[in-house]
Amino acid sequence: MLTFVALAVGLIVWLAPETPVGKLLRRALVDWPAERLSRIRPGLVILIVLLIAASVALIVVAKNEGAFLVAQGLPEAIASIFALDVATYLDILVMAWLVAASVRLRAVKAVIGSATARVRRLIVRRTSPRVRARRRRPAARPPPNSDDEAWPGFALAA
């Protein structure tokens, strides 16, 4: 009976795709699964192949008991693997967020440090007692010994 239903659905999708029932069945049985299957990543395919290989190896080695073990343990194993996958993604997101936050905090710390240093310099400059700089007069040079090196004042006097 189920075989005839599947055959009838297949014939409707194949021979009458433009009818409302054909469009609905095509959307539900062909387009949606094809879209979902196109999103599968290679890592997931490798994981599934490894699970199948481990299950087959357990069944071959342990015969009936292996089949029972696979039937009992595979759902929990798959759930724990996907939970680990989700936990890993969450850990990566949290680590990325913490690194970004620490970089921002370092930048904020540098800005605050430079601002406080500027404020400190300004306060110290305004509140410290000012010492006036004393000007020193240049020392008078002794008169030269020869006429060639006379003082400029003597040149004007002559």
Side-chain angles (χ1 to χ4, degrees):
M1 178 78 176
L2 191 58
T3 305
F4 291 121
V5 171
L7 184 64
V9 167
L11 286 174
I12 290 172
V13 170
W14 184 35
L15 296 176
E18 297 302 320
T19 62
V21 174
K23 288 179 183 178
L24 178 69
L25 289 175
R26 179 173 175 79
R27 196 173 326 125
L29 299 175
V30 177
D31 294 338
W32 184 74
E35 178 187 331
R36 297 286 293 180
L37 287 173
S38 69
R39 293 186 201 162
I40 292 179
R41 299 180 316 258
L44 184 61
V45 173
I46 292 171
L47 176 69
I48 290 171
V49 168
L50 287 175
L51 282 174
I52 291 171
S55 300
V56 168
L58 188 61
I59 291 171
V60 167
V61 170
K63 309 269 189 266
N64 284 340
E65 289 83 13
F68 287 127
L69 287 174
V70 168
Q72 290 176 350
L74 196 58
E76 287 86 7
I78 291 173
S80 64
I81 287 171
F82 283 116
L84 177 72
D85 191 33
V86 170
T88 303
Y89 286 138
L90 288 176
D91 287 344
I92 289 171
L93 286 174
V94 167
M95 289 302 293
W97 181 75
L98 285 174
V99 167
S102 69
V103 168
R104 288 185 192 129
L105 285 176
R106 281 190 217 134
V108 167
K109 181 180 174 185
V111 167
I112 290 174
S114 67
T116 55
R118 273 188 270 146
V119 168
R120 253 190 232 138
R121 281 189 300 238
L122 183 67
I123 290 172
V124 166
R125 199 179 317 153
R126 290 186 183 226
T127 59
S128 64
R130 295 188 180 186
V131 177
R132 295 186 74 180
R134 293 185 180 178
R135 287 189 170 182
R136 293 186 181 186
R137 294 186 181 188
R141 294 189 313 191
N145 293 337
S146 68
D147 292 335
D148 296 334
E149 298 179 20
W151 280 5
F154 291 140
L156 294 175

